Amino acid sequence: MSHHEHFYIDGEWVSPVTPKTLDVINPATEEAFTRISVGSAADVDKAVAAAKAAFETFSRTMPAERLALLKRIHEVYLERFEDIAQAVSSEMGAPLAFARDAQAWAGRGHLESTIKAFETYEFSEKRGSTMVVKEPIGVCALITPWNWPLNQIVCKVAPAIAAGCTVVLKPSEIAPISGIVFAEIMHAAGVPKGVFNLVNGTGPDVGQIMASHADVDMVSFTGSTRAGIIVAKAAADTVKRVAQELGGKSANIILPDADFETAVTKGVRGCFSNTGQSCDAPTRMLVPRARHDEALAIAKVAADAFRTGDPNAEDTNLGPVVSDIQFDKIQRLIETGIREGATLVTGGPGRPEGLNRGYYIRPTVFGNVTPEMTIAREEIFGPVLSIISYEDEEDAIRIANDTVYGLAAYVQSTDIARARRVASRMRAGSVYLNYPDWDTMASFGGYKQSGNGREYADFGIHDFLEIKSVVGYGD
């Protein structure tokens, strides 16, 4: 039975209070492949009430019980792995190999890292005659984006459960089906009634209602900085905790001693991964001025090697962007880059040759980009790379930090001591040296307008806890 037109509240699949549906579009075809129900304040009230009632008992469970629950969720997740990958491919247009190896894998990776961190997590600490204890914060509203649906769902839900919280999840209405599969996983794993709830819907009709709800104790939001500001304002009246992972415009500093062929090629691939729809993508490549033209030539070869097309085709490694809104925005920004005088190295406006349908973007590289240009400052969220020249190391650091964002930064050098020194100057929540493997045990979150709070592993667990000091506890 399909649950696409139901919500998951208090351990049951239920219909919305007021029936209303929304088509879910496959961005590769521009056609609806299913539809979901979208909720309202009345549905949020039901879900929050269920979570509040469940919190009374779930918050008092022993860590060992919650650890066993997370392990059962992990087992069922692996059983449904292919279903998750197929859902992500349909709702996002992700190539199937990427949907499996990156998107579906991300949820698995976060479950495993949360379990590993939880096994040794300490919820109390003695300081003299004071006992400092960490307690679950309460009912948590989780609002997740469309670009990495399972990554963001699991890196919120898993630590919330580890902490002893209960949750109401609103996945993105653009890519909601993988979230519904995840709710089915939670049900099959035997998550107690009310501990996990799901309500689909739009930001204004569901997300903002969750954020402002008097019985919600915390909001964890991932999305654009613009939407994050709206969520924070909605939450402010009830003085609840708000954790945010927002936008980014990450710099990739390629130092003069780097292996340029490798550094530039991998930088292009990193920018274009997930069709450029990653908030921490290295979208600004900073290269020494004397080697700018060399970098352009290498980047063109790397970009032109991408095969854009049908997500089900084996040789496709770049799918469409997620929606018509994203497609139009990226087209406008590419045209703006040309108009402002950047050098179009490859790609450009319009769809790739032979593709007349689907939200496909031509893999695009700009050279001679200056830090003041729109494409160097705005988050594009598509396969578009800006290459910027710098004079020396100090200039590179200045340009890298000259942004309202601070989610990630990248440094490439054959001298690890030098790379570390530059990393220490980056105003960003994560700095990646020489393209390391993804580490789900690292913290994730941003400086400045990229948000606040940290996710992944024990960092995520911490954000769902309150700190209480029992003074005079005794020996």
Side-chain angles (χ1 to χ4, degrees):
M1 176 185 173
S2 170
H3 295 125
H4 292 184
E5 293 186 41
H6 295 97
F7 305 144
Y8 187 73
I9 298 175
D10 205 22
E12 297 181 354
W13 292 98
V14 300
S15 297
V17 172
T18 302
K20 185 179 180 182
T21 60
L22 178 71
D23 286 342
V24 183
I25 306 298
N26 183 328
T29 65
E30 301 185 40
E31 296 177 355
F33 70 96
T34 189
R35 63 184 183 182
I36 59 167
S37 289
V38 288
S40 63
D43 301 294
V44 173
D45 286 343
K46 287 176 61 178
V48 171
K52 183 178 181 180
F55 181 74
E56 292 299 315
T57 53
F58 190 70
S59 62
R60 296 197 298 272
T61 56
M62 298 300 293
E65 296 177 62
R66 304 197 295 274
L67 178 61
L69 178 59
L70 285 173
K71 289 181 176 179
R72 290 200 302 274
I73 293 168
H74 178 256
E75 290 172 3
V76 182
Y77 190 98
L78 295 182
E79 293 171 3
R80 298 293 305 275
F81 194 87
E82 182 62 21
D83 295 333
I84 291 168
Q86 292 289 339
V88 171
S89 184
S90 295
E91 65 193 8
M92 282 192 64
L96 267 173
F98 189 83
R100 293 186 184 107
D101 299 342
Q103 291 280 1
W105 178 87
R108 169 187 172 178
H110 284 303
L111 277 168
E112 292 169 353
S113 62
T114 301
I115 288 168
K116 182 178 179 180
F118 190 28
E119 286 175 333
T120 56
Y121 197 87
E122 295 292 340
F123 286 89
S124 61
E125 176 189 357
K126 194 76 182 302
R127 295 188 176 187
S129 64
T130 295
M131 180 65 76
V132 180
V133 295
K134 301 173 184 178
E135 299 179 341
I137 193 169
V139 175
C140 301
L142 313 179
I143 304 172
T144 57
W146 49 261
N147 62 319
W148 284 93
L150 268 300
N151 182 80
Q152 292 307 127
I153 288 173
V154 179
C155 80
K156 295 181 190 300
V157 172
I161 286 178
C165 295
T166 58
V167 306
V168 180
L169 169 67
K170 189 201 89 67
S172 168
E173 70 276 17
I174 298 172
I177 306 306
S178 54
I180 291 172
V181 175
F182 185 77
E184 293 171 349
I185 290 168
M186 299 293 276
H187 183 80
V191 175
K193 292 182 177 182
V195 170
F196 171 87
N197 306 273
L198 178 146
V199 177
N200 275 312
T202 66
D205 292 336
V206 173
Q208 289 181 46
I209 303 301
M210 290 166 59
S212 63
H213 203 289
D215 289 332
V216 166
D217 301 288
M218 174 189 175
V219 182
S220 181
F221 172 84
T222 299
S224 69
T225 297
R226 178 194 59 79
I229 292 168
I230 293 171
V231 166
K233 288 180 176 179
D237 286 344
T238 47
V239 199
K240 55 173 62 74
R241 183 181 301 173
V242 180
Q244 299 171 309
E245 192 266 285
L246 307 175
K249 192 68 180 177
S250 302
N252 182 10
I253 299 177
I254 300 181
L255 292 168
D257 65 334
D259 177 340
F260 254 59
E261 185 75 31
T262 299
V264 174
T265 298
K266 287 188 173 182
V268 172
R269 292 173 183 169
C271 178
F272 290 0
S273 177
N274 201 35
T275 318
Q277 299 171 124
S278 298
C279 47
D280 60 345
T283 53
R284 292 184 295 147
M285 182 180 288
L286 277 54
V287 300
R289 188 170 300 282
R291 302 186 72 176
H292 174 268
D293 291 348
E294 177 188 356
L296 297 196
I298 297 169
K300 184 181 189 314
V301 172
D304 290 347
F306 276 85
R307 292 293 171 262
T308 305
D310 181 359
N312 295 306
E314 289 187 6
D315 63 343
T316 295
N317 54 16
L318 205 66
V321 293
V322 78
S323 69
D324 57 344
I325 294 173
Q326 288 298 120
F327 179 86
D328 292 342
K329 172 192 171 185
I330 296 163
Q331 294 296 324
R332 286 196 302 271
L333 285 166
I334 291 173
E335 290 166 356
T336 299
I338 295 170
R339 187 173 63 253
E340 292 183 355
T343 299
L344 181 63
V345 178
T346 191
R351 290 179 173 84
E353 186 177 352
L355 294 172
N356 299 316
R357 191 166 180 80
Y359 307 125
Y360 294 101
I361 304 290
R362 298 175 68 190
T364 298
V365 176
F366 282 106
N368 291 303
V369 178
T370 63
E372 297 76 26
M373 289 182 179
T374 303
I375 57 173
R377 306 200 73 80
E378 290 192 18
E379 188 175 35
I380 299 174
F381 236 57
V384 181
L385 174 66
S386 296
I387 300 181
I388 303 169
S389 297
Y390 64 83
E391 298 295 340
D392 54 25
E393 185 175 303
E394 283 298 316
D395 192 38
I397 292 168
R398 178 189 64 78
I399 294 170
N401 287 332
D402 182 21
T403 172
V404 298
Y405 298 112
L407 187 58
Y410 300 74
V411 182
Q412 318 308 322
S413 175
T414 54
D415 182 345
I416 190 63
R418 186 180 189 184
R420 290 169 179 164
R421 183 176 70 245
V422 173
S424 73
R425 304 277 301 280
M426 293 294 95
R427 296 288 294 167
S430 299
V431 184
Y432 302 94
L433 308 183
N434 297 319
Y435 305 115
D437 291 336
W438 192 5
D439 185 0
T440 55
M441 295 300 291
S443 63
F444 189 75
Y447 287 25
K448 300 187 279 186
Q449 290 186 28
S450 286
N452 51 68
R454 291 296 180 267
E455 297 184 314
Y456 297 9
D458 53 315
F459 303 99
I461 298 172
H462 176 80
D463 267 11
F464 289 95
L465 295 167
E466 289 281 25
I467 308 298
K468 175 189 288 181
S469 289
V470 183
V471 184
Y473 190 88
D475 296 329

